Amino acid sequence: MNVRDKIAWCTVILLLCALVGQRLMRVDSSGTFPNRSVLLICPYSAGGGSDMLARGLARAAEPDLGQTITVNNVTGGGGAVGFVAGLLAPPDGHTVTMITIELVSLPLQGLVPFQPDEFAPILRLNMDPAALAVRADCPANTFEEFMEWSKRDSKLSVGNSGPGTVWHMAAARLAEAASLEFNHVPFGGASHAVTALVGGHIDAVTVSPGELRSQILAGQVKILGVMSEDRVSYSPDSPTFTELGYPLIFGTWRGLAVPRETPAEVRAKLAEVFSKAAYSTELAEFADAAGLNMALASGSDFALQIKNEKAQIASIMKKLGLIYEK
Amino acid sequence: MEIFNEVLVNGSSIQVWVALLAGVMAGMIFGALPGLSATMGVALLIPFTFDLSIMPALALLIGVYCAAVYGGSIPAILFRTPGTPASAATIFDGAVLAARGEAGKALSVAALSALVGGVIGTLLLIALTPQISRFALRFGPPEYFALATFGLSMIVAISESSVRKGLIVAVFGLLISTVGMDPLTGYPRFIYGQASLMEGMPFIPALIGLFAIAEVLSMGGLKSGNTASSESKIARFPSGSDVRRSTPTILKSSFLGTFVGATPGAGSDIAAFLAYSIARQQAGKGDKFGEGEVKGVAAPEAAKTAGTAGAMIPLLALGLPGDSVTAVLIGAFILHGVQPGPLLFQDHSGLAYSIFATVLFAHILVFIVAVSGVRILLRVNQIDRRFLQSGILILSLVGAFALRNNLADVWLALAFGVLGYALRRGGYPVAPLLLALILGPLAEENLRRALILSGGDYAIFIQRPITVVLLLAGIAALFYGLIRRRGAPA
């Protein structure tokens, strides 16, 4: 081995060490917040609803924050990897994490090293209800007829976006509330379930109206009921389940959070800046185009909601056999 | 006539062409860098389109998509490092050609096949979108299982010298593909407490390890010197006979790619691997697959670009994404006020045909940029191998990290590097491993999903015509492969 070979090897080894070492480094933070750019962790991949919301919000909030906001997609583990990264970051407000309902459901499965209350929510941004949808040519036109069909036809196949996902739980909640029995068919994401519905391979889906919008507008599928307080704007004839006599309010939500140890004044500043951005017309137009149903709520209300939903979600997951006891 | 006018007006706007060219250039770079996928390229460029009007915006994104899928093959051929999953199938013969000093030929064949694949795919898109989308919708869980089984039956064909070794590797690949959350019950399997493995074995770090890192580990990787010494012998363009020999393969792969791409559950990567395997299965007497066969470059290249056109079919006709890139594209279309789906053709047929034209010209631009870039790309051969390889190693590791911003993926890539090196030393082929990794999850998930639908009754696999045809084709391919091997001991 000559000298140049040795230099080449040393460089490779040094760079590898640097790669490992960068994780151990923590940036020293002092002075008033924000004194450098803010990182917004999105635990889901680029291009999805969470990502679009994060990027739209970052764009709208940058001028007021006075610092750049970088969206970083830290994905994996159904969101767990991103949540862990958000919790491991220094609690100085320079790392904000987008949280979703999976923050509650993942710890219940007992497979991730965190609990939802390790995050301090600062703002709820959006909520998407679950909607029960069937093909447009389906003989059932109302939820009543759907129930009859369901009872007559043994078990209907209801597609969802994956085991333990919010839409799986939505179907289970519906089945429980209306005493129906479903054959739950998990797909790798809501769009795959909708495709299978349009292709006639399954009987119904429980996903968000946004994920059904193009099919509704094209007259391919129809919504029989929505698990929200209000009807869906682009399917005004579809009733809510509350109207139908089943007071079901269920769906996914997205919001922002920082680690619990973050100082209160930093949290207040973040809440102020991001609320202003979230209430801007710029973001409202963006969310409308992207099919995101904005539903803003303060950090304290949001924290209360997360706390209340935990027990509810735990009981559904238990019924679905998704909680593993050690 | 009115539609034609609208297409013409859109096409004569300089903005559209600039956006398309910019998209193609950006896409090539995204595709060529391992860890930056076509999906990420499109997603990251969406914010840049906010201030553009609709056609330039769509042209930019379509340009990125089409070019990124081709761009992945550049490092696959030059450095044995696939830039995108779909380009992994190009390595088997493309990298051998490059090692022989025929990188220019491999790159040109790739570009030419990609052009033909893209054009055929787009023409099918224009002419048969309603028919193909109806056919694609008939693909439910049993059909996807049958498609995956058909693909897996090709293991014999791609096992190189020993079927036994090929099978060992393939079964190992199937086992690895079961790592992660159970797709139907959500129970985590073989993850040993690692949240990073919950979504399954990440494919790109595995590719980076099996090829790029294994290459560096094998002693040849860090030898000094460069491959440009025989500059005079480098064939920059394929010979006429190469083109003639590959034409049937290119045509077949283009049709296959379009159909596979059009099914909403399978994308370009599956199309590329199927096309490569089928080409190998049907190898003629003079074909030397695995030893630098141009058909081995042509087949996956044609299929994967045709696959991109195919994936546009369910996107435009049904408003349903065919793969992860088109899922992002749908979001972008909606942001720009275009709602893909049956209504697009009814209410905005001019726009729909403008999109078709954009796809067509995107493929042509990709070809022009690719061919004119060959000369520049070949310069990398003049760099000392040691510096080149360490550069690739660093880029690969960064790529493994960049995909999910997850350090665990870097360790996985390194582990796969050791595995790839061991396989190479032991004479085990890598192709069956990749085929199993790509098709394993598709097969498992859909087998079990189909059984949920049928209530556990296996008859569902013989009651549906497409399923039966695909399963029989798989069995036939298996026996054909075995019989051929017996006839010609190698």
Side-chain angles (χ1 to χ4, degrees):
Chain A
M1 207 185 258
N2 62 28
V3 180
R4 284 174 65 185
D5 277 333
K6 278 182 189 151
I7 294 174
W9 273 111
C10 288
T11 318
V12 171
I13 290 165
L14 260 176
L15 285 166
L16 278 176
C17 292
L19 203 64
V20 177
Q22 59 106 32
R23 191 180 193 176
L24 306 173
M25 287 203 331
R26 291 246 164 134
V27 184
D28 173 54
S29 53
S30 49
T32 54
F33 175 81
N35 53 13
R36 56 193 164 85
S37 72
V38 167
L39 185 70
L40 175 52
I41 293 181
C42 172
Y44 302 94
S45 50
S50 301
D51 176 67
M52 286 214 270
L53 184 61
R55 285 176 198 277
L57 188 74
R59 227 168 103 95
E62 261 179 7
D64 274 317
L65 192 67
Q67 290 282 355
T68 50
I69 303 174
T70 318
V71 177
N72 205 354
N73 303 87
V74 184
T75 63
V81 176
F83 294 141
V84 170
L87 284 171
L88 285 177
D92 58 6
H94 288 101
T95 308
V96 180
T97 310
M98 173 157 280
I99 56 171
T100 60
I101 195 165
E102 281 76 14
L103 178 67
V104 179
S105 58
L106 285 167
L108 285 170
Q109 284 182 282
L111 304 166
V112 291
F114 59 82
Q115 285 300 320
D117 59 7
E118 286 174 46
F119 271 114
I122 51 177
L123 180 70
R124 188 184 74 197
L125 294 164
N126 124 287
M127 278 180 75
D128 277 313
L132 174 73
V134 293
R135 253 188 323 284
D137 57 11
C138 168
N141 284 310
T142 62
F143 183 61
E144 283 285 301
E145 288 171 17
F146 178 83
M147 280 177 40
E148 279 166 34
W149 179 32
S150 177
K151 280 169 184 156
R152 194 173 57 239
D153 214 347
S154 66
K155 273 183 169 180
L156 293 186
S157 300
V158 179
N160 61 58
S161 50
T165 56
V166 58
W167 305 141
H168 186 191
M169 293 190 261
R173 288 210 64 187
L174 178 65
E176 193 187 6
S179 348
L180 300 172
E181 237 187 292
F182 291 154
N183 188 11
H184 296 284
V185 190
F187 286 84
S191 74
H192 290 273
V194 175
T195 306
L197 175 71
V198 175
H201 305 289
I202 51 176
D203 301 308
V205 293
T206 45
V207 299
S208 80
E211 285 151 338
L212 291 163
R213 187 164 68 166
S214 58
Q215 304 305 319
I216 293 169
L217 294 177
Q220 298 266 16
V221 303
K222 56 192 176 192
I223 292 183
L224 299 183
V226 193
M227 297 187 195
S228 62
E229 278 146 27
D230 302 308
R231 292 185 175 202
V232 180
S233 61
Y234 38 84
S235 183
D237 299 330
S238 311
T240 65
F241 277 105
T242 315
E243 289 173 48
L244 292 167
Y246 302 95
L248 279 172
I249 307 285
F250 191 71
T252 186
W253 40 256
R254 300 182 175 100
L256 300 178
V258 289
R260 194 169 45 186
E261 302 81 22
T262 312
E265 67 274 12
V266 172
R267 271 158 37 190
K269 170 80 180 167
L270 283 170
E272 181 204 319
V273 171
F274 280 113
S275 316
K276 198 175 162 203
Y279 277 106
S280 67
T281 45
E282 183 194 346
L283 195 75
E285 279 167 19
F286 173 84
D288 194 47
L292 296 160
N293 178 40
M294 295 302 277
L296 301 166
S298 72
S300 51
D301 289 348
F302 189 23
L304 197 68
Q305 178 195 358
I306 295 174
K307 209 172 145 201
N308 290 340
E309 277 186 5
K310 197 176 159 184
Q312 214 183 56
I313 291 173
S315 98
I316 312 169
M317 289 181 66
K318 197 153 203 167
K319 281 191 190 109
L320 288 172
L322 289 164
I323 292 181
Y324 314 110
E325 276 156 70
K326 287 185 181 154
Chain B
M1 202 60 223
E2 205 178 299
I3 294 170
F4 185 69
N5 276 338
E6 196 178 331
V7 174
L8 214 59
V9 168
N10 281 331
S12 59
S13 143
I14 188 83
Q15 260 198 322
V16 173
W17 286 95
V18 171
L20 190 60
L21 186 64
V24 166
M25 300 288 222
M28 289 256 181
I29 295 167
F30 270 105
L33 290 172
L36 286 181
S37 58
T39 318
M40 241 193 255
V42 174
L44 293 180
L45 282 179
I46 287 176
F48 290 95
T49 67
F50 285 156
D51 303 321
L52 297 176
S53 60
I54 176 162
M55 269 323 290
L58 297 185
L60 180 76
L61 298 176
I62 289 170
V64 172
Y65 178 32
C66 295
V69 170
Y70 170 77
S73 302
I74 298 171
I77 290 170
L78 290 176
F79 313 127
R80 289 186 76 96
T81 304
T84 54
S87 55
T90 307
I91 294 181
F92 304 125
D93 284 288
V96 178
L97 277 170
R100 247 189 355 225
E102 295 181 278
K105 183 160 117 182
L107 285 170
S108 319
V109 169
L112 183 70
S113 317
L115 174 72
V116 177
V119 169
I120 290 182
T122 314
L123 293 179
L124 287 172
L125 169 69
I126 294 171
L128 295 172
T129 287
Q131 289 81 0
I132 296 178
S133 65
R134 263 203 300 277
F135 177 73
L137 269 184
R138 291 179 61 185
F139 267 70
E143 283 78 13
Y144 284 119
F145 169 69
L147 180 69
T149 314
F150 171 66
L152 287 171
S153 72
M154 298 289 165
I155 285 171
V156 177
I158 57 171
S159 284
E160 295 181 14
S161 57
S162 154
V163 179
R164 185 174 51 92
K165 283 183 174 175
L167 278 177
I168 291 174
V169 171
V171 171
F172 180 66
L174 287 175
L175 269 178
I176 295 183
S177 76
T178 62
V179 171
M181 245 189 307
D182 183 308
L184 290 132
T185 65
Y187 194 83
R189 306 181 295 198
F190 311 119
I191 67 166
Y192 301 100
Q194 299 293 315
S196 303
L197 289 177
M198 257 162 76
E199 281 168 3
M201 194 55 83
F203 190 59
I204 291 178
L207 281 181
I208 287 172
L210 287 172
F211 291 105
I213 296 171
E215 178 78 12
V216 175
L217 288 177
S218 63
M219 283 319 284
L222 284 176
K223 248 188 266 157
S224 68
N226 56 50
T227 47
S229 45
S230 52
E231 174 87 55
S232 55
K233 277 196 282 174
I234 290 179
R236 199 162 287 152
F237 292 102
S239 68
S241 79
D242 284 336
V243 176
R244 257 195 312 281
R245 281 179 52 233
S246 328
T247 305
T249 310
I250 295 178
L251 293 179
K252 264 187 284 188
S253 305
S254 303
F255 284 101
L256 176 82
T258 312
F259 282 101
V260 173
T263 55
S268 293
D269 42 354
I270 291 178
F273 271 89
L274 274 182
Y276 177 76
S277 311
I278 290 174
R280 223 172 150 158
Q281 173 101 355
Q282 300 178 338
K285 275 240 165 65
D287 299 349
K288 291 195 167 72
F289 277 96
E291 296 164 37
E293 171 58 54
V294 280
K295 283 187 192 173
V297 175
E301 287 301 311
K304 76 180 190 190
T305 34
T308 60
M312 299 294 283
I313 292 175
L315 168 85
L316 293 172
L318 306 165
L320 296 166
D323 56 16
S324 55
V325 193
T326 40
V328 176
L329 268 182
I330 281 200
F333 278 31
I334 293 172
L335 273 182
H336 282 280
V338 184
Q339 186 78 57
L343 289 183
L344 181 67
F345 289 90
Q346 259 171 46
D347 303 346
H348 307 282
S349 51
L351 183 69
Y353 284 93
S354 299
I355 294 174
F356 289 161
T358 311
V359 176
L360 190 65
F361 284 113
H363 285 300
I364 294 172
L365 265 185
V366 168
F367 176 73
I368 294 171
V369 172
V371 167
S372 45
V374 166
R375 217 188 150 85
I376 305 163
L377 285 172
L378 289 180
R379 295 244 176 104
V380 298
N381 286 334
Q382 292 166 5
I383 303 170
D384 190 311
R385 283 276 296 277
R386 292 174 305 170
F387 298 120
L388 192 64
Q389 292 290 3
S390 22
I392 294 169
L393 181 65
I394 304 295
L395 261 185
S396 308
L397 290 178
V398 171
F401 173 76
L403 190 73
R404 304 195 293 177
N405 287 318
N406 191 337
L407 200 66
D409 289 350
V410 177
W411 293 113
L412 272 175
L414 288 169
F416 270 100
V418 175
L419 174 70
Y421 173 66
L423 289 178
R424 216 187 273 193
R425 280 296 295 271
Y428 288 88
V430 181
L433 179 66
L434 293 184
L435 195 71
L437 274 179
I438 285 189
L439 294 175
L442 189 74
E444 189 213 345
E445 232 174 84
N446 285 295
L447 169 67
R448 295 176 52 200
R449 201 172 284 138
L451 289 175
I452 289 184
L453 282 175
S454 69
D457 186 358
Y458 282 87
I460 191 168
F461 295 107
I462 51 167
Q463 286 161 347
R464 304 166 59 123
I466 301 175
T467 313
V468 172
V469 170
L470 281 171
L471 286 175
L472 287 178
I475 295 169
L478 192 66
F479 281 104
Y480 176 70
L482 286 172
I483 290 164
R484 268 184 60 144
R485 247 169 211 278
R486 184 159 293 183

